[in-house]
Amino acid sequence: QVQLVESGGGLVQAGDSLRLSCAASGRTFRWLGMGWFRQAPGKEREFVVAVSWSDGTTAYADSVKGRFTISRDNAKNTVYLQMNSLKPEDTAVYYCAAAQIFIIASMRDPRNIRSWGQGTQVTVSS
């Protein structure tokens, strides 16, 4: 069982930046992947970004490539999502996610997620 606590959401204008944090605690998986999904009103929860703790491999949704960057802090057991050049279409509740994975591509499927954060609201005004 992994507990995820995320923070960093807020209200910003288009073109601005935000940094999300997600701290993991409890019993982590042997092969751990962490990242974020997001869900906008009326839409399905979609994959955003993930990183593998074992080798640092990352995966990004096409919609955020070049704008979002995921990083990790081993000492704090925390991952960070730097979001730059935010667009109104980035508006959503962002959910930190953790799973036991062997390849980073597995993080793209929400059915593989074993632990979810509580969600943090990101709102980008135009």
Side-chain angles (χ1 to χ4, degrees), residues 36-40 44-48 63-64 67-68 89-95:
W36 278 268
F37 286 70
R38 67 187 181 187
Q39 189 165 23
E44 297 293 318
R45 189 169 298 188
E46 67 173 353
F47 171 79
V48 179
S63 59
V64 305
R67 299 188 298 120
F68 291 10
E89 48 263 47
D90 295 318
T91 295
V93 177
Y94 284 68
Y95 295 94

Side-chain angles (χ1 to χ4, degrees), residues 21-123:
S21 300
C22 180
S25 62
R27 192 179 186 89
T28 58
F29 301 114
R30 174 64 177 84
W31 297 280
L32 179 65
M34 291 183 63
W36 278 268
F37 286 70
R38 67 187 181 187
Q39 189 165 23
K43 300 183 67 176
E44 297 293 318
R45 189 169 298 188
E46 67 173 353
F47 171 79
V48 179
V49 63
V51 62
S52 170
W53 283 87
S54 62
D55 60 11
T57 303
T58 58
Y60 293 86
D62 289 341
S63 59
V64 305
K65 285 182 178 178
R67 299 188 298 120
F68 291 10
T69 304
I70 191 169
S71 61
R72 55 181 178 170
D73 186 330
N74 291 344
K76 296 182 178 180
N77 212 27
T78 299
V79 293
Y80 304 94
L81 179 59
Q82 180 66 43
M83 304 186 294
N84 297 328
S85 301
L86 283 163
K87 305 174 181 179
E89 48 263 47
D90 295 318
T91 295
V93 177
Y94 284 68
Y95 295 94
C96 187
Q100 183 179 19
I101 60 168
F102 300 104
I103 57 174
I104 194 63
S106 297
M107 289 293 297
R108 295 181 179 272
D109 189 346
R111 294 174 296 181
N112 293 326
I113 304 302
R114 295 295 180 265
S115 298
W116 294 97
Q118 80 279 10
T120 185
Q121 177 71 48
V122 172
T123 302

